[in-house]
PDB file of all heavy atoms in Angstrom:
ATOM      1  N   LEU A 146       0.825  -1.213   0.000  1.00 93.00           N
ATOM      2  CA  LEU A 146       0.000   0.000   0.000  1.00 93.00           C
ATOM      3  C   LEU A 146       0.856   1.257   0.000  1.00 93.00           C
ATOM      4  O   LEU A 146       0.555   2.218  -0.729  1.00 93.00           O
ATOM      5  CB  LEU A 146      -0.932  -0.001   1.211  1.00 93.00           C
ATOM      6  CG  LEU A 146      -1.832   1.214   1.346  1.00 93.00           C
ATOM      7  CD1 LEU A 146      -2.832   1.279   0.190  1.00 93.00           C
ATOM      8  CD2 LEU A 146      -2.552   1.197   2.675  1.00 93.00           C
ATOM      9  N   SER A 147       1.935   1.252   0.764  1.00 92.00           N
ATOM     10  CA  SER A 147       2.807   2.432   0.773  1.00 92.00           C
ATOM     11  C   SER A 147       3.489   2.621  -0.580  1.00 92.00           C
ATOM     12  O   SER A 147       3.693   3.755  -1.021  1.00 92.00           O
ATOM     13  CB  SER A 147       3.851   2.324   1.889  1.00 92.00           C
ATOM     14  OG  SER A 147       4.738   1.271   1.636  1.00 92.00           O
ATOM     15  N   ALA A 148       3.815   1.542  -1.273  1.00 91.00           N
ATOM     16  CA  ALA A 148       4.384   1.654  -2.621  1.00 91.00           C
ATOM     17  C   ALA A 148       3.346   2.222  -3.577  1.00 91.00           C
ATOM     18  O   ALA A 148       3.665   3.038  -4.448  1.00 91.00           O
ATOM     19  CB  ALA A 148       4.867   0.293  -3.108  1.00 91.00           C
ATOM     20  N   LEU A 149       2.100   1.805  -3.404  1.00 89.00           N
ATOM     21  CA  LEU A 149       1.025   2.318  -4.252  1.00 89.00           C
ATOM     22  C   LEU A 149       0.827   3.818  -4.054  1.00 89.00           C
ATOM     23  O   LEU A 149       0.543   4.547  -5.003  1.00 89.00           O
ATOM     24  CB  LEU A 149      -0.272   1.565  -3.941  1.00 89.00           C
ATOM     25  CG  LEU A 149      -1.466   1.845  -4.817  1.00 89.00           C
ATOM     26  CD1 LEU A 149      -1.213   1.357  -6.241  1.00 89.00           C
ATOM     27  CD2 LEU A 149      -2.706   1.176  -4.246  1.00 89.00           C
ATOM     28  N   VAL A 150       1.027   4.288  -2.845  1.00 91.00           N
ATOM     29  CA  VAL A 150       0.899   5.718  -2.561  1.00 91.00           C
ATOM     30  C   VAL A 150       2.108   6.484  -3.078  1.00 91.00           C
ATOM     31  O   VAL A 150       1.982   7.597  -3.593  1.00 91.00           O
ATOM     32  CB  VAL A 150       0.716   5.945  -1.041  1.00 91.00           C
ATOM     33  CG1 VAL A 150       0.827   7.407  -0.679  1.00 91.00           C
ATOM     34  CG2 VAL A 150      -0.621   5.379  -0.589  1.00 91.00           C
ATOM     35  N   TYR A 151       3.303   5.892  -2.993  1.00 88.00           N
ATOM     36  CA  TYR A 151       4.536   6.588  -3.374  1.00 88.00           C
ATOM     37  C   TYR A 151       4.685   6.756  -4.889  1.00 88.00           C
ATOM     38  O   TYR A 151       5.096   7.818  -5.361  1.00 88.00           O
ATOM     39  CB  TYR A 151       5.754   5.833  -2.823  1.00 88.00           C
ATOM     40  CG  TYR A 151       7.068   6.363  -3.330  1.00 88.00           C
ATOM     41  CD1 TYR A 151       7.609   7.511  -2.787  1.00 88.00           C
ATOM     42  CD2 TYR A 151       7.751   5.737  -4.373  1.00 88.00           C
ATOM     43  CE1 TYR A 151       8.803   8.017  -3.253  1.00 88.00           C
ATOM     44  CE2 TYR A 151       8.943   6.230  -4.843  1.00 88.00           C
ATOM     45  CZ  TYR A 151       9.467   7.368  -4.293  1.00 88.00           C
ATOM     46  OH  TYR A 151      10.633   7.876  -4.763  1.00 88.00           O
ATOM     47  N   VAL A 152       4.349   5.726  -5.645  1.00 87.00           N
ATOM     48  CA  VAL A 152       4.674   5.693  -7.072  1.00 87.00           C
ATOM     49  C   VAL A 152       4.046   6.843  -7.868  1.00 87.00           C
ATOM     50  O   VAL A 152       4.745   7.493  -8.659  1.00 87.00           O
ATOM     51  CB  VAL A 152       4.322   4.317  -7.681  1.00 87.00           C
ATOM     52  CG1 VAL A 152       4.393   4.337  -9.196  1.00 87.00           C
ATOM     53  CG2 VAL A 152       5.268   3.269  -7.139  1.00 87.00           C
ATOM     54  N   PRO A 153       2.760   7.165  -7.733  1.00 87.00           N
ATOM     55  CA  PRO A 153       2.200   8.235  -8.572  1.00 87.00           C
ATOM     56  C   PRO A 153       2.823   9.611  -8.331  1.00 87.00           C
ATOM     57  O   PRO A 153       2.879  10.430  -9.242  1.00 87.00           O
ATOM     58  CB  PRO A 153       0.715   8.260  -8.199  1.00 87.00           C
ATOM     59  CG  PRO A 153       0.429   6.922  -7.646  1.00 87.00           C
ATOM     60  CD  PRO A 153       1.695   6.497  -6.987  1.00 87.00           C
ATOM     61  N   GLY A 154       3.319   9.866  -7.129  1.00 87.00           N
ATOM     62  CA  GLY A 154       3.881  11.175  -6.838  1.00 87.00           C
ATOM     63  C   GLY A 154       5.370  11.283  -7.083  1.00 87.00           C
ATOM     64  O   GLY A 154       5.968  12.328  -6.875  1.00 87.00           O
ATOM     65  N   SER A 155       5.998  10.221  -7.543  1.00 85.00           N
ATOM     66  CA  SER A 155       7.441  10.226  -7.720  1.00 85.00           C
ATOM     67  C   SER A 155       7.826  10.882  -9.041  1.00 85.00           C
ATOM     68  O   SER A 155       7.198  10.666 -10.075  1.00 85.00           O
ATOM     69  CB  SER A 155       7.974   8.796  -7.691  1.00 85.00           C
ATOM     70  OG  SER A 155       9.357   8.789  -7.936  1.00 85.00           O
ATOM     71  N   ASN A 156       8.891  11.676  -9.005  1.00 89.00           N
ATOM     72  CA  ASN A 156       9.407  12.306 -10.217  1.00 89.00           C
ATOM     73  C   ASN A 156      10.494  11.478 -10.880  1.00 89.00           C
ATOM     74  O   ASN A 156      10.788  11.662 -12.047  1.00 89.00           O
ATOM     75  CB  ASN A 156       9.966  13.692  -9.883  1.00 89.00           C
ATOM     76  CG  ASN A 156       8.858  14.643  -9.478  1.00 89.00           C
ATOM     77  OD1 ASN A 156       7.718  14.509  -9.916  1.00 89.00           O
ATOM     78  ND2 ASN A 156       9.192  15.597  -8.619  1.00 89.00           N
ATOM     79  N   ASP A 157      11.101  10.592 -10.129  1.00 89.00           N
ATOM     80  CA  ASP A 157      12.173   9.745 -10.641  1.00 89.00           C
ATOM     81  C   ASP A 157      11.571   8.439 -11.169  1.00 89.00           C
ATOM     82  O   ASP A 157      11.072   7.612 -10.412  1.00 89.00           O
ATOM     83  CB  ASP A 157      13.180   9.453  -9.525  1.00 89.00           C
ATOM     84  CG  ASP A 157      14.420   8.742 -10.029  1.00 89.00           C
ATOM     85  OD1 ASP A 157      14.585   8.623 -11.261  1.00 89.00           O
ATOM     86  OD2 ASP A 157      15.228   8.317  -9.179  1.00 89.00           O
ATOM     87  N   VAL A 158      11.608   8.259 -12.485  1.00 90.00           N
ATOM     88  CA  VAL A 158      10.941   7.117 -13.117  1.00 90.00           C
ATOM     89  C   VAL A 158      11.608   5.802 -12.731  1.00 90.00           C
ATOM     90  O   VAL A 158      10.917   4.804 -12.463  1.00 90.00           O
ATOM     91  CB  VAL A 158      10.932   7.291 -14.658  1.00 90.00           C
ATOM     92  CG1 VAL A 158      10.341   6.077 -15.330  1.00 90.00           C
ATOM     93  CG2 VAL A 158      10.168   8.540 -15.036  1.00 90.00           C
ATOM     94  N   ALA A 159      12.923   5.775 -12.665  1.00 91.00           N
ATOM     95  CA  ALA A 159      13.623   4.529 -12.336  1.00 91.00           C
ATOM     96  C   ALA A 159      13.300   4.082 -10.914  1.00 91.00           C
ATOM     97  O   ALA A 159      13.002   2.911 -10.673  1.00 91.00           O
ATOM     98  CB  ALA A 159      15.123   4.715 -12.505  1.00 91.00           C
ATOM     99  N   LYS A 160      13.344   5.033  -9.982  1.00 90.00           N
ATOM    100  CA  LYS A 160      13.034   4.693  -8.594  1.00 90.00           C
ATOM    101  C   LYS A 160      11.569   4.280  -8.456  1.00 90.00           C
ATOM    102  O   LYS A 160      11.250   3.336  -7.733  1.00 90.00           O
ATOM    103  CB  LYS A 160      13.322   5.883  -7.682  1.00 90.00           C
ATOM    104  CG  LYS A 160      13.239   5.539  -6.212  1.00 90.00           C
ATOM    105  CD  LYS A 160      13.408   6.749  -5.322  1.00 90.00           C
ATOM    106  CE  LYS A 160      14.796   7.300  -5.379  1.00 90.00           C
ATOM    107  NZ  LYS A 160      15.021   8.404  -4.418  1.00 90.00           N
ATOM    108  N   ALA A 161      10.675   4.948  -9.151  1.00 90.00           N
ATOM    109  CA  ALA A 161       9.259   4.594  -9.094  1.00 90.00           C
ATOM    110  C   ALA A 161       9.009   3.206  -9.660  1.00 90.00           C
ATOM    111  O   ALA A 161       8.170   2.456  -9.146  1.00 90.00           O
ATOM    112  CB  ALA A 161       8.434   5.630  -9.853  1.00 90.00           C
ATOM    113  N   THR A 162       9.743   2.839 -10.706  1.00 91.00           N
ATOM    114  CA  THR A 162       9.595   1.504 -11.285  1.00 91.00           C
ATOM    115  C   THR A 162      10.058   0.432 -10.311  1.00 91.00           C
ATOM    116  O   THR A 162       9.383  -0.596 -10.146  1.00 91.00           O
ATOM    117  CB  THR A 162      10.398   1.406 -12.593  1.00 91.00           C
ATOM    118  OG1 THR A 162       9.958   2.430 -13.482  1.00 91.00           O
ATOM    119  CG2 THR A 162      10.225   0.061 -13.239  1.00 91.00           C
ATOM    120  N   ILE A 163      11.175   0.670  -9.649  1.00 92.00           N
ATOM    121  CA  ILE A 163      11.683  -0.289  -8.670  1.00 92.00           C
ATOM    122  C   ILE A 163      10.710  -0.428  -7.504  1.00 92.00           C
ATOM    123  O   ILE A 163      10.412  -1.537  -7.048  1.00 92.00           O
ATOM    124  CB  ILE A 163      13.083   0.128  -8.185  1.00 92.00           C
ATOM    125  CG1 ILE A 163      14.084   0.008  -9.332  1.00 92.00           C
ATOM    126  CG2 ILE A 163      13.527  -0.699  -6.986  1.00 92.00           C
ATOM    127  CD1 ILE A 163      15.428   0.619  -9.043  1.00 92.00           C
ATOM    128  N   VAL A 164      10.194   0.692  -7.031  1.00 91.00           N
ATOM    129  CA  VAL A 164       9.237   0.656  -5.921  1.00 91.00           C
ATOM    130  C   VAL A 164       7.946  -0.042  -6.347  1.00 91.00           C
ATOM    131  O   VAL A 164       7.360  -0.805  -5.579  1.00 91.00           O
ATOM    132  CB  VAL A 164       8.963   2.086  -5.394  1.00 91.00           C
ATOM    133  CG1 VAL A 164       7.805   2.102  -4.421  1.00 91.00           C
ATOM    134  CG2 VAL A 164      10.206   2.649  -4.747  1.00 91.00           C
ATOM    135  N   ALA A 165       7.505   0.181  -7.562  1.00 92.00           N
ATOM    136  CA  ALA A 165       6.294  -0.477  -8.058  1.00 92.00           C
ATOM    137  C   ALA A 165       6.475  -1.987  -8.145  1.00 92.00           C
ATOM    138  O   ALA A 165       5.589  -2.758  -7.758  1.00 92.00           O
ATOM    139  CB  ALA A 165       5.901   0.087  -9.416  1.00 92.00           C
ATOM    140  N   ILE A 166       7.628  -2.427  -8.628  1.00 93.00           N
ATOM    141  CA  ILE A 166       7.898  -3.867  -8.711  1.00 93.00           C
ATOM    142  C   ILE A 166       7.982  -4.477  -7.317  1.00 93.00           C
ATOM    143  O   ILE A 166       7.408  -5.550  -7.062  1.00 93.00           O
ATOM    144  CB  ILE A 166       9.183  -4.119  -9.516  1.00 93.00           C
ATOM    145  CG1 ILE A 166       8.956  -3.746 -10.984  1.00 93.00           C
ATOM    146  CG2 ILE A 166       9.641  -5.559  -9.389  1.00 93.00           C
ATOM    147  CD1 ILE A 166      10.218  -3.709 -11.804  1.00 93.00           C
ATOM    148  N   ALA A 167       8.665  -3.806  -6.410  1.00 93.00           N
ATOM    149  CA  ALA A 167       8.759  -4.305  -5.033  1.00 93.00           C
ATOM    150  C   ALA A 167       7.389  -4.310  -4.361  1.00 93.00           C
ATOM    151  O   ALA A 167       7.063  -5.227  -3.598  1.00 93.00           O
ATOM    152  CB  ALA A 167       9.738  -3.452  -4.236  1.00 93.00           C
ATOM    153  N   GLY A 168       6.577  -3.305  -4.652  1.00 93.00           N
ATOM    154  CA  GLY A 168       5.228  -3.251  -4.097  1.00 93.00           C
ATOM    155  C   GLY A 168       4.360  -4.384  -4.601  1.00 93.00           C
ATOM    156  O   GLY A 168       3.612  -5.001  -3.837  1.00 93.00           O
ATOM    157  N   PHE A 169       4.461  -4.689  -5.885  1.00 95.00           N
ATOM    158  CA  PHE A 169       3.683  -5.796  -6.437  1.00 95.00           C
ATOM    159  C   PHE A 169       4.137  -7.123  -5.844  1.00 95.00           C
ATOM    160  O   PHE A 169       3.315  -7.973  -5.492  1.00 95.00           O
ATOM    161  CB  PHE A 169       3.804  -5.838  -7.959  1.00 95.00           C
ATOM    162  CG  PHE A 169       3.081  -6.995  -8.566  1.00 95.00           C
ATOM    163  CD1 PHE A 169       1.701  -6.990  -8.664  1.00 95.00           C
ATOM    164  CD2 PHE A 169       3.772  -8.098  -9.014  1.00 95.00           C
ATOM    165  CE1 PHE A 169       1.022  -8.062  -9.203  1.00 95.00           C
ATOM    166  CE2 PHE A 169       3.110  -9.184  -9.565  1.00 95.00           C
ATOM    167  CZ  PHE A 169       1.724  -9.165  -9.669  1.00 95.00           C
ATOM    168  N   ALA A 170       5.450  -7.298  -5.713  1.00 95.00           N
ATOM    169  CA  ALA A 170       5.962  -8.543  -5.135  1.00 95.00           C
ATOM    170  C   ALA A 170       5.525  -8.696  -3.679  1.00 95.00           C
ATOM    171  O   ALA A 170       5.105  -9.782  -3.260  1.00 95.00           O
ATOM    172  CB  ALA A 170       7.486  -8.582  -5.245  1.00 95.00           C
ATOM    173  N   SER A 171       5.601  -7.615  -2.908  1.00 95.00           N
ATOM    174  CA  SER A 171       5.183  -7.717  -1.512  1.00 95.00           C
ATOM    175  C   SER A 171       3.676  -7.931  -1.397  1.00 95.00           C
ATOM    176  O   SER A 171       3.212  -8.616  -0.494  1.00 95.00           O
ATOM    177  CB  SER A 171       5.629  -6.497  -0.709  1.00 95.00           C
ATOM    178  OG  SER A 171       5.047  -5.334  -1.214  1.00 95.00           O
ATOM    179  N   PHE A 172       2.898  -7.380  -2.324  1.00 95.00           N
ATOM    180  CA  PHE A 172       1.453  -7.633  -2.330  1.00 95.00           C
ATOM    181  C   PHE A 172       1.174  -9.116  -2.582  1.00 95.00           C
ATOM    182  O   PHE A 172       0.376  -9.736  -1.882  1.00 95.00           O
ATOM    183  CB  PHE A 172       0.765  -6.774  -3.393  1.00 95.00           C
ATOM    184  CG  PHE A 172      -0.689  -7.091  -3.557  1.00 95.00           C
ATOM    185  CD1 PHE A 172      -1.611  -6.654  -2.624  1.00 95.00           C
ATOM    186  CD2 PHE A 172      -1.139  -7.828  -4.632  1.00 95.00           C
ATOM    187  CE1 PHE A 172      -2.955  -6.952  -2.759  1.00 95.00           C
ATOM    188  CE2 PHE A 172      -2.474  -8.126  -4.788  1.00 95.00           C
ATOM    189  CZ  PHE A 172      -3.394  -7.685  -3.847  1.00 95.00           C
ATOM    190  N   ALA A 173       1.846  -9.678  -3.584  1.00 95.00           N
ATOM    191  CA  ALA A 173       1.612 -11.087  -3.923  1.00 95.00           C
ATOM    192  C   ALA A 173       2.025 -12.009  -2.777  1.00 95.00           C
ATOM    193  O   ALA A 173       1.281 -12.921  -2.406  1.00 95.00           O
ATOM    194  CB  ALA A 173       2.368 -11.436  -5.200  1.00 95.00           C
ATOM    195  N   VAL A 174       3.192 -11.773  -2.199  1.00 95.00           N
ATOM    196  CA  VAL A 174       3.666 -12.627  -1.107  1.00 95.00           C
ATOM    197  C   VAL A 174       2.817 -12.427   0.143  1.00 95.00           C
ATOM    198  O   VAL A 174       2.461 -13.390   0.832  1.00 95.00           O
ATOM    199  CB  VAL A 174       5.159 -12.351  -0.822  1.00 95.00           C
ATOM    200  CG1 VAL A 174       5.623 -13.072   0.425  1.00 95.00           C
ATOM    201  CG2 VAL A 174       6.002 -12.751  -2.007  1.00 95.00           C
ATOM    202  N   GLY A 175       2.472 -11.176   0.447  1.00 93.00           N
ATOM    203  CA  GLY A 175       1.653 -10.901   1.631  1.00 93.00           C
ATOM    204  C   GLY A 175       0.279 -11.531   1.533  1.00 93.00           C
ATOM    205  O   GLY A 175      -0.216 -12.114   2.499  1.00 93.00           O
ATOM    206  N   LEU A 176      -0.334 -11.431   0.378  1.00 94.00           N
ATOM    207  CA  LEU A 176      -1.650 -12.036   0.188  1.00 94.00           C
ATOM    208  C   LEU A 176      -1.566 -13.555   0.282  1.00 94.00           C
ATOM    209  O   LEU A 176      -2.427 -14.202   0.884  1.00 94.00           O
ATOM    210  CB  LEU A 176      -2.220 -11.609  -1.162  1.00 94.00           C
ATOM    211  CG  LEU A 176      -3.695 -11.857  -1.388  1.00 94.00           C
ATOM    212  CD1 LEU A 176      -4.527 -11.107  -0.367  1.00 94.00           C
ATOM    213  CD2 LEU A 176      -4.079 -11.425  -2.789  1.00 94.00           C
ATOM    214  N   SER A 177      -0.510 -14.124  -0.267  1.00 94.00           N
ATOM    215  CA  SER A 177      -0.327 -15.573  -0.202  1.00 94.00           C
ATOM    216  C   SER A 177      -0.129 -16.049   1.243  1.00 94.00           C
ATOM    217  O   SER A 177      -0.736 -17.042   1.663  1.00 94.00           O
ATOM    218  CB  SER A 177       0.873 -15.974  -1.057  1.00 94.00           C
ATOM    219  OG  SER A 177       1.148 -17.335  -0.904  1.00 94.00           O
ATOM    220  N   LEU A 178       0.701 -15.362   2.008  1.00 93.00           N
ATOM    221  CA  LEU A 178       0.920 -15.739   3.407  1.00 93.00           C
ATOM    222  C   LEU A 178      -0.344 -15.599   4.237  1.00 93.00           C
ATOM    223  O   LEU A 178      -0.680 -16.463   5.049  1.00 93.00           O
ATOM    224  CB  LEU A 178       2.034 -14.878   4.023  1.00 93.00           C
ATOM    225  CG  LEU A 178       3.451 -15.251   3.679  1.00 93.00           C
ATOM    226  CD1 LEU A 178       4.417 -14.206   4.223  1.00 93.00           C
ATOM    227  CD2 LEU A 178       3.792 -16.608   4.238  1.00 93.00           C
ATOM    228  N   PHE A 179      -1.059 -14.500   4.041  1.00 92.00           N
ATOM    229  CA  PHE A 179      -2.282 -14.260   4.799  1.00 92.00           C
ATOM    230  C   PHE A 179      -3.329 -15.322   4.479  1.00 92.00           C
ATOM    231  O   PHE A 179      -3.968 -15.880   5.377  1.00 92.00           O
ATOM    232  CB  PHE A 179      -2.816 -12.854   4.496  1.00 92.00           C
ATOM    233  CG  PHE A 179      -3.926 -12.434   5.406  1.00 92.00           C
ATOM    234  CD1 PHE A 179      -3.665 -12.067   6.712  1.00 92.00           C
ATOM    235  CD2 PHE A 179      -5.233 -12.400   4.962  1.00 92.00           C
ATOM    236  CE1 PHE A 179      -4.684 -11.681   7.559  1.00 92.00           C
ATOM    237  CE2 PHE A 179      -6.260 -12.014   5.795  1.00 92.00           C
ATOM    238  CZ  PHE A 179      -5.982 -11.655   7.100  1.00 92.00           C
ATOM    239  N   ALA A 180      -3.496 -15.645   3.198  1.00 93.00           N
ATOM    240  CA  ALA A 180      -4.481 -16.655   2.802  1.00 93.00           C
ATOM    241  C   ALA A 180      -4.083 -18.038   3.314  1.00 93.00           C
ATOM    242  O   ALA A 180      -4.948 -18.813   3.749  1.00 93.00           O
ATOM    243  CB  ALA A 180      -4.621 -16.673   1.285  1.00 93.00           C
ATOM    244  N   ASP A 181      -2.796 -18.361   3.280  1.00 93.00           N
ATOM    245  CA  ASP A 181      -2.345 -19.655   3.776  1.00 93.00           C
ATOM    246  C   ASP A 181      -2.582 -19.780   5.280  1.00 93.00           C
ATOM    247  O   ASP A 181      -2.974 -20.838   5.773  1.00 93.00           O
ATOM    248  CB  ASP A 181      -0.873 -19.870   3.446  1.00 93.00           C
ATOM    249  CG  ASP A 181      -0.422 -21.293   3.660  1.00 93.00           C
ATOM    250  OD1 ASP A 181      -1.204 -22.210   3.348  1.00 93.00           O
ATOM    251  OD2 ASP A 181       0.715 -21.478   4.138  1.00 93.00           O
ATOM    252  N   ALA A 182      -2.348 -18.700   6.027  1.00 90.00           N
ATOM    253  CA  ALA A 182      -2.603 -18.728   7.467  1.00 90.00           C
ATOM    254  C   ALA A 182      -4.093 -18.913   7.755  1.00 90.00           C
ATOM    255  O   ALA A 182      -4.461 -19.680   8.653  1.00 90.00           O
ATOM    256  CB  ALA A 182      -2.095 -17.444   8.118  1.00 90.00           C
ATOM    257  N   LEU A 183      -4.942 -18.237   7.007  1.00 91.00           N
ATOM    258  CA  LEU A 183      -6.379 -18.423   7.202  1.00 91.00           C
ATOM    259  C   LEU A 183      -6.802 -19.839   6.853  1.00 91.00           C
ATOM    260  O   LEU A 183      -7.643 -20.436   7.545  1.00 91.00           O
ATOM    261  CB  LEU A 183      -7.155 -17.410   6.358  1.00 91.00           C
ATOM    262  CG  LEU A 183      -7.092 -15.967   6.825  1.00 91.00           C
ATOM    263  CD1 LEU A 183      -7.884 -15.076   5.881  1.00 91.00           C
ATOM    264  CD2 LEU A 183      -7.601 -15.822   8.235  1.00 91.00           C
ATOM    265  N   LYS A 184      -6.231 -20.396   5.799  1.00 91.00           N
ATOM    266  CA  LYS A 184      -6.540 -21.779   5.417  1.00 91.00           C
ATOM    267  C   LYS A 184      -6.136 -22.748   6.521  1.00 91.00           C
ATOM    268  O   LYS A 184      -6.892 -23.662   6.866  1.00 91.00           O
ATOM    269  CB  LYS A 184      -5.827 -22.131   4.120  1.00 91.00           C
ATOM    270  CG  LYS A 184      -6.066 -23.562   3.645  1.00 91.00           C
ATOM    271  CD  LYS A 184      -5.204 -23.892   2.459  1.00 91.00           C
ATOM    272  CE  LYS A 184      -3.794 -24.045   2.966  1.00 91.00           C
ATOM    273  NZ  LYS A 184      -2.839 -24.536   2.022  1.00 91.00           N
ATOM    274  N   ARG A 185      -4.964 -22.540   7.110  1.00 88.00           N
ATOM    275  CA  ARG A 185      -4.517 -23.408   8.203  1.00 88.00           C
ATOM    276  C   ARG A 185      -5.436 -23.293   9.411  1.00 88.00           C
ATOM    277  O   ARG A 185      -5.716 -24.296  10.082  1.00 88.00           O
ATOM    278  CB  ARG A 185      -3.084 -23.058   8.599  1.00 88.00           C
ATOM    279  CG  ARG A 185      -2.058 -23.469   7.592  1.00 88.00           C
ATOM    280  CD  ARG A 185      -0.692 -22.949   8.002  1.00 88.00           C
ATOM    281  NE  ARG A 185       0.288 -23.185   6.980  1.00 88.00           N
ATOM    282  CZ  ARG A 185       1.270 -24.080   7.100  1.00 88.00           C
ATOM    283  NH1 ARG A 185       1.377 -24.811   8.189  1.00 88.00           N
ATOM    284  NH2 ARG A 185       2.125 -24.236   6.129  1.00 88.00           N
ATOM    285  N   ASP A 186      -5.901 -22.087   9.722  1.00 87.00           N
ATOM    286  CA  ASP A 186      -6.836 -21.915  10.831  1.00 87.00           C
ATOM    287  C   ASP A 186      -8.141 -22.655  10.578  1.00 87.00           C
ATOM    288  O   ASP A 186      -8.676 -23.313  11.475  1.00 87.00           O
ATOM    289  CB  ASP A 186      -7.132 -20.430  11.060  1.00 87.00           C
ATOM    290  CG  ASP A 186      -6.015 -19.723  11.790  1.00 87.00           C
ATOM    291  OD1 ASP A 186      -5.156 -20.404  12.390  1.00 87.00           O
ATOM    292  OD2 ASP A 186      -6.005 -18.481  11.759  1.00 87.00           O
ATOM    293  N   ILE A 187      -8.660 -22.554   9.370  1.00 88.00           N
ATOM    294  CA  ILE A 187      -9.917 -23.226   9.039  1.00 88.00           C
ATOM    295  C   ILE A 187      -9.760 -24.738   9.121  1.00 88.00           C
ATOM    296  O   ILE A 187     -10.615 -25.437   9.685  1.00 88.00           O
ATOM    297  CB  ILE A 187     -10.419 -22.787   7.650  1.00 88.00           C
ATOM    298  CG1 ILE A 187     -10.862 -21.330   7.695  1.00 88.00           C
ATOM    299  CG2 ILE A 187     -11.553 -23.683   7.166  1.00 88.00           C
ATOM    300  CD1 ILE A 187     -11.142 -20.735   6.343  1.00 88.00           C
ATOM    301  N   ILE A 188      -8.659 -25.260   8.594  1.00 87.00           N
ATOM    302  CA  ILE A 188      -8.420 -26.703   8.644  1.00 87.00           C
ATOM    303  C   ILE A 188      -8.274 -27.165  10.088  1.00 87.00           C
ATOM    304  O   ILE A 188      -8.782 -28.230  10.476  1.00 87.00           O
ATOM    305  CB  ILE A 188      -7.196 -27.083   7.793  1.00 87.00           C
ATOM    306  CG1 ILE A 188      -7.517 -26.893   6.311  1.00 87.00           C
ATOM    307  CG2 ILE A 188      -6.734 -28.498   8.075  1.00 87.00           C
ATOM    308  CD1 ILE A 188      -6.337 -27.039   5.403  1.00 87.00           C
ATOM    309  N   ALA A 189      -7.592 -26.385  10.924  1.00 83.00           N
ATOM    310  CA  ALA A 189      -7.430 -26.753  12.325  1.00 83.00           C
ATOM    311  C   ALA A 189      -8.776 -26.759  13.052  1.00 83.00           C
ATOM    312  O   ALA A 189      -9.049 -27.642  13.871  1.00 83.00           O
ATOM    313  CB  ALA A 189      -6.456 -25.788  13.018  1.00 83.00           C
ATOM    314  N   LYS A 190      -9.627 -25.774  12.761  1.00 84.00           N
ATOM    315  CA  LYS A 190     -10.944 -25.730  13.412  1.00 84.00           C
ATOM    316  C   LYS A 190     -11.817 -26.881  12.954  1.00 84.00           C
ATOM    317  O   LYS A 190     -12.545 -27.466  13.749  1.00 84.00           O
ATOM    318  CB  LYS A 190     -11.629 -24.397  13.113  1.00 84.00           C
ATOM    319  CG  LYS A 190     -11.029 -23.253  13.873  1.00 84.00           C
ATOM    320  CD  LYS A 190     -11.698 -21.949  13.536  1.00 84.00           C
ATOM    321  CE  LYS A 190     -11.001 -20.803  14.226  1.00 84.00           C
ATOM    322  NZ  LYS A 190     -11.551 -19.507  13.847  1.00 84.00           N
TER     323      LYS A 190
END
C-alpha cells in the first residue's frame, strides 16, 4: 500500500519503477501468506 501511494507522486521514473515492482511482489507474497494462514486456521478448526 505504501508503494502504491509513493509511485504516482514520484518524479524519478527509475526509482518509481523499482518501488512499483517491489510493491507488487510484496502484495503477492503478503496475500499468499495471509491466505495460507487463514486456510490453516480453518483446517485446524
Side-chain angles (χ1 to χ4, degrees):
L146 179 65
S147 66
L149 186 66
V150 170
Y151 172 79
V152 169
S155 177
N156 292 331
D157 188 9
V158 176
K160 189 185 292 186
T162 303
I163 293 170
V164 170
I166 292 169
F169 177 75
S171 62
F172 174 76
V174 172
L176 194 60
S177 174
L178 282 173
F179 190 75
D181 192 39
L183 289 179
K184 179 187 73 172
R185 288 174 187 251
D186 282 344
I187 291 170
I188 291 171
K190 286 179 185 176

